């Protein structure tokens, strides 16, 4: 006999006592980790960088768990429901190559220079102009992206308890705030390791049971084909949804060639490398490791679970489009009342409705806990990166210099509280997008694409000047914003529709334009402005940095599976195989 439901009126998910007990146990453990981590904090380096003391396997799992927030869970399942299998490009083209490049090439510069943040590296390479632009843009981006995670975290609480969304947002923010303020980055990282296993345990049954319920891969293909044939005017052809290439549903282009170019250049190079190699949210985890070898292996270790995440995010989204009546209606162009936001069912709700339809109580509580863990991991990563940049790169550099260490530790904790409050308001922006990935990719085009252009040119071209650094960043960001506003829908109702590009393809184009504008202007400005003296470029420019500064001399004696390059090679082979199969 089924257990009586608790607080299930006006909710999407009908949970019972065992489900709530699982969620409560998880929250108790999370807060306990924050209390324990607090005892290990004696100075600001402990709070912001975990004292650079963590092993590679911990930072590697935290690296990938920090990314398992709104983007990976709700965003990717939403795109899976809307576009199908082409969404895997966000992983196999848009993540793994850049993660390997970060570990092999770029981490030695970050870790070896002992900088505390990516903007601090920019200050050493280009001076205060580029540093200030980068620090401010990064801080704004983290507040916006934290709002995305908080909005979806609040949506889960709303779906579970039926609370008004604004109440759910405040409660969710308070939980994340508590353990970050208590334990700093250590609390975030150790919780992220726990959250990684909780997320997998929560979402893997959803994939397996969902596939069984729909009749396996054959049944899923039949459902997608049936829906595409019934609504050819709004649903892409089945063969485009069931094959990753050329990815027309994802990019929104009519040409297969342009679609492939957009995916490879716009997503695979500009957006991907811009995100993974310069995003301090991710780099901060590697910088908390205990050696340069561990720092290099951090993103490479993270690449192995990363390449299999589509099977617990994208596949469930595709199953939801075929199995859940409400999501199928949304895909057919209908407006359906309800949803986690209360303003109508959206693609972002795909996982919630699939959980409702296929999971028994107990497993339902585990899946709910997995989602809560994912959004908390994502938001905590954004907040911990924000408080580091605000404290070190803005407050210490431009507001209060040469204060004692305790002063900056207090500023970091205050910044954590302020960022969480602001995230409650930026969560409202995220609620305007049916597919949260569209909003997120636009933000990445604004902030990450021009930063990557400046970063990679400055790292490999010693002639690039300080003036070129900040001019390129500003021009690249402005050009991306202009393209987004001129597109059909990249920035919601604010877009003018002047350019005939839409969806995530518009974000790819905006990122590509930002990258090209940044590179061209940086080269032009460098030609007429003085470069930094060569003797000041050691550890900042590849050609001016001795090899012994970039590697751990002890690594050569380790087994192959503990060395950076062999691990990266295995990961690259695996991701090529996955691209061929799908």
């Amino acid at each position: 006999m089924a257990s009586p439901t608790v607080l299930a009126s006006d909710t999407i998910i009908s949970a019972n006592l065992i489900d709530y007990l699982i969620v409560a146990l998880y929250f108790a453990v999370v807060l306990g980790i924050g209390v324990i981590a607090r005892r290990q904090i004696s100075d600001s380096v402990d709070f912001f960088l975990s004292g650079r003391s963590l092993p590679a396997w911990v930072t590697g799992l935290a690296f990938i768990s920090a990314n398992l927030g709104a983007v990976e869970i709700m965003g990717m399942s939403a795109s899976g429901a809307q576009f199908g299998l082409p969404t895997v490009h966000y992983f196999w083209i848009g993540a793994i190559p850049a993660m390997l490049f970060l570990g092999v090439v770029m981490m030695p510069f970050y870790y070896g220079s002992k900088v505390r943040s990516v903007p601090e590296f920019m200050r050493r390479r280009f001076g205060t102009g580029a540093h200030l632009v980068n620090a401010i843009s990064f801080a704004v981006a983290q507040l916006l992206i934290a709002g995305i995670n908080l909005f979806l975290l609040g949506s889960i609480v709303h779906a579970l308890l039926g609370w008004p969304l604004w109440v759910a947002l405040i409660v969710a923010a308070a939980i994340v705030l508590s353990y970050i303020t208590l334990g700093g980055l250590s609390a975030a990282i150790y919780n992220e390791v726990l959250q990684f296993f909780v997320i997998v345990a929560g979402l893997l049954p959803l994939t397996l049971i969902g596939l069984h319920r729909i009749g396996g891969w054959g049944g899923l293909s039949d459902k997608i084909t049936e829906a595409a044939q019934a609504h050819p005017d709004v649903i892409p052809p089945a063969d485009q949804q069931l094959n990753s290439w050329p990815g027309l549903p994802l990019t929104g282009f009519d040409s297969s060639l342009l679609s492939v170019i957009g995916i490879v250049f716009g997503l695979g190079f500009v957006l991907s490398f811009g995100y993974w190699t310069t995003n301090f949210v991710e780099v901060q985890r590697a910088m908390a490791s205990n050696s340069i070898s561990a720092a290099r292996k951090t993103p490479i270790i993270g690449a192995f679970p990363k390449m299999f995440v589509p099977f617990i995010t994208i596949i469930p989204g595709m199953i939801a489009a075929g199995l859940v009546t409400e999501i199928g209606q949304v895909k057919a162009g209908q407006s359906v009342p309800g949803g986690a936001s209360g303003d109508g069912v959206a693609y972002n709700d795909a996982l919630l409705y699939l959980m409702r339809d296929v999971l028994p109580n107990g497993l339902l509580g585990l899946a709910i806990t997995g989602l809560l863990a994912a959004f908390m991991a994502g938001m905590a990563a954004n907040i911990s990166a924000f408080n580091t940049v605000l404290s070190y790169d803005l407050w210490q550099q431009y507001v209060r210099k040469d204060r004692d260490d305790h002063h900056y530790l207090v500023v970091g904790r205050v910044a954590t509280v302020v960022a969480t409050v602001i995230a409650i308001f930026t969560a409202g922006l995220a609620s305007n997008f049916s597919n949260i990935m569209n909003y997120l990719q636009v933000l990445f085009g604004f902030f990450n694409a021009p930063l990557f252009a400046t970063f990679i040119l400055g790292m490999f071209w010693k002639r690039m000047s300080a003036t070129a650094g900040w001019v390129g960043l500003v021009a690249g960001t402005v050009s991306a914003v202009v393209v987004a506003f001129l597109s059909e829908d990249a920035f919601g109702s604010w877009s003018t529709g002047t350019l005939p590009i839409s969806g995530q393809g518009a974000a790819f184009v905006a990122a590509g334009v930002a990258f090209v504008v940044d590179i061209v202007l940086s080269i032009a400005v460098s030609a007429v402005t003085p470069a930094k003296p060569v003797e000041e470029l050691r550890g900042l420019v590849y050609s001016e940095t001795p090899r012994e500064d970039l590697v751990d001399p002890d690594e050569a004696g380790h087994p192959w599976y503990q060395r950076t390059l062999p691990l990266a090679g295995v990961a690259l082979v695996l991701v090529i195989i996955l691209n061929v199969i799908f």
Side-chain angles (χ1 to χ4, degrees):
M1 180 180 296
S3 302
T5 57
V6 180
L7 294 172
S9 59
D10 299 321
T11 65
I12 293 176
I13 302 171
S14 296
N16 68 11
L17 182 59
I18 185 64
D19 300 313
Y20 288 104
L21 287 176
I22 292 172
V23 173
L25 176 63
Y26 170 72
F27 280 130
V29 172
V30 164
L31 294 176
I33 290 174
V35 172
I36 293 171
R38 180 183 177 88
R39 299 173 184 171
Q40 302 173 358
I41 294 175
S42 59
D43 58 25
S44 63
V45 174
D46 289 337
F47 185 77
F48 293 120
L49 292 176
S50 296
R52 293 183 182 267
S53 61
L54 303 178
W57 74 268
V58 170
T59 54
L61 288 179
F63 185 95
I64 202 61
S65 183
N67 185 249
L68 275 174
V71 189
E72 301 297 291
I73 309 301
M74 300 290 260
M76 291 301 175
S77 63
S79 291
Q82 185 174 2
F83 307 123
L85 210 52
T87 311
V88 299
H89 291 312
Y90 282 108
F91 297 83
W92 301 338
I93 297 295
I96 304 301
M99 293 170 69
L100 301 181
F101 182 82
L102 171 63
V104 172
V105 177
M106 297 187 69
M107 272 315 304
F109 289 92
Y110 286 134
Y111 195 88
S113 64
K114 298 299 181 185
V115 296
R116 295 163 296 187
S117 67
V118 172
E120 184 175 346
F121 186 92
M122 292 290 285
R123 179 173 61 81
R124 293 191 185 182
R125 175 63 181 90
F126 297 112
T128 55
H131 172 260
L132 184 60
V133 172
N134 179 211
I136 292 174
S137 66
F138 177 83
V140 171
Q142 295 320 299
L143 294 176
L144 292 171
I145 298 171
I148 294 174
N149 281 293
L150 182 57
F151 164 68
L152 293 174
L153 181 56
S155 297
I156 297 296
V157 176
H158 170 76
L160 182 63
L161 300 176
W163 294 352
L165 187 58
W166 69 271
V167 175
L169 287 175
I170 293 173
V171 171
I175 293 168
V176 177
L177 175 64
S178 59
Y179 76 79
I180 293 296
T181 306
L182 283 171
L185 184 62
S186 290
I189 285 181
Y190 282 117
N191 266 313
E192 284 160 5
V193 174
L194 168 67
Q195 286 158 348
F196 172 79
F197 293 105
V198 171
I199 291 164
V200 173
L203 296 184
L204 183 58
L206 190 62
T207 301
L208 299 177
I209 297 174
L211 273 176
H212 174 74
R213 187 75 62 86
I214 205 171
W217 186 258
L220 177 59
S221 301
D222 292 342
K223 284 283 190 181
I224 289 175
T225 302
E226 179 184 323
Q229 291 174 345
H231 305 279
D233 51 333
V234 291
I235 298 180
D239 65 315
Q240 294 181 11
Q241 295 185 63
L242 293 169
N243 294 280
S244 61
W245 296 101
L248 294 173
L250 183 68
T251 61
F253 297 153
D254 295 327
S255 164
S256 296
L257 176 62
L258 291 178
S259 181
V260 171
I261 292 173
I263 290 170
V264 172
F265 179 71
L267 173 62
F269 181 61
V270 177
L271 280 173
S272 171
F273 278 68
Y275 176 82
W276 291 102
T277 66
T278 65
N279 187 350
F280 185 53
V281 173
E282 306 300 332
V283 173
Q284 187 182 30
R285 271 80 196 141
M287 289 168 65
S289 56
N290 57 17
S291 69
I292 192 170
S293 177
R296 296 182 75 195
K297 286 183 291 190
T298 292
I300 297 170
I301 291 171
F304 287 94
K306 175 73 173 179
M307 67 180 72
F308 295 105
V309 169
F311 298 106
I312 59 172
T313 54
I314 295 170
I315 300 300
M318 295 171 66
I319 294 169
L323 203 60
V324 177
T325 302
E326 292 90 342
I327 303 300
Q329 291 172 335
V330 169
K331 193 165 184 176
Q334 301 176 31
S335 296
V336 183
S341 68
D343 296 327
V345 177
Y347 288 115
N348 295 325
D349 301 319
L351 276 191
L352 294 178
Y353 279 98
L354 186 63
M355 287 162 53
R356 178 201 66 182
D357 287 357
V358 307
L359 291 184
N361 292 113
L363 278 180
L364 180 62
L366 190 60
I368 293 167
T369 304
L371 290 181
L372 292 172
F375 304 146
M376 289 172 66
M379 182 179 174
N382 297 132
I383 297 299
S384 59
F386 171 86
N387 65 30
T388 303
V389 169
L390 185 134
S391 301
Y392 281 148
D393 292 288
L394 293 174
W395 190 267
Q396 185 181 38
Q397 184 67 28
Y398 301 105
V399 182
R400 291 286 188 272
K401 292 185 177 182
D402 303 322
R403 294 298 181 95
D404 60 74
D405 187 78
H406 179 72
H407 174 82
Y408 300 112
L409 180 59
V410 172
V411 170
R413 287 202 163 109
V414 172
T416 303
V417 176
V418 171
T420 306
V421 173
I422 294 174
I424 294 174
F425 295 96
T426 61
L429 294 175
S431 66
N432 294 321
F433 289 80
S434 175
N435 184 341
I436 210 72
M437 277 297 294
N438 292 343
Y439 176 45
L440 204 61
Q441 293 308 312
V442 169
L443 294 182
F444 289 158
F446 291 173
F447 301 115
N448 292 79
L451 176 58
F452 174 60
T454 297
F455 213 99
I456 203 69
L457 189 61
M459 181 173 284
F460 289 99
W461 187 39
K462 64 183 180 181
R463 178 65 185 81
M464 187 174 177
S465 69
T467 304
W470 71 264
V471 170
L473 276 178
V474 172
T477 300
V478 170
S479 64
V481 172
V482 169
V483 171
F485 278 112
L486 293 179
S487 69
E488 293 179 358
D489 62 357
F491 221 60
S493 59
W494 294 324
S495 294
T496 65
T498 306
L499 294 176
I501 51 175
S502 62
Q504 294 177 31
F508 299 167
V509 172
V513 169
F515 181 85
V516 172
V517 168
D518 191 317
I519 291 288
V520 170
L521 267 181
S522 295
I523 293 174
V525 172
S526 294
V528 295
T529 53
K532 196 180 185 77
V534 173
E535 59 270 16
E536 297 179 16
L537 296 178
R538 178 169 177 160
L540 302 174
V541 175
Y542 199 82
S543 62
E544 303 304 315
T545 305
R547 175 173 168 75
E548 56 266 25
D549 289 3
L550 303 177
V551 297
D552 184 345
D554 297 329
E555 188 179 280
H558 295 165
W560 70 267
Y561 53 85
Q562 293 181 359
R563 299 203 303 271
T564 302
L565 292 180
L567 274 178
V570 172
L572 185 60
V573 169
L574 284 176
V575 82
I576 290 173
I577 292 172
L578 288 171
N579 268 291
V580 171
I581 293 174
F582 292 93

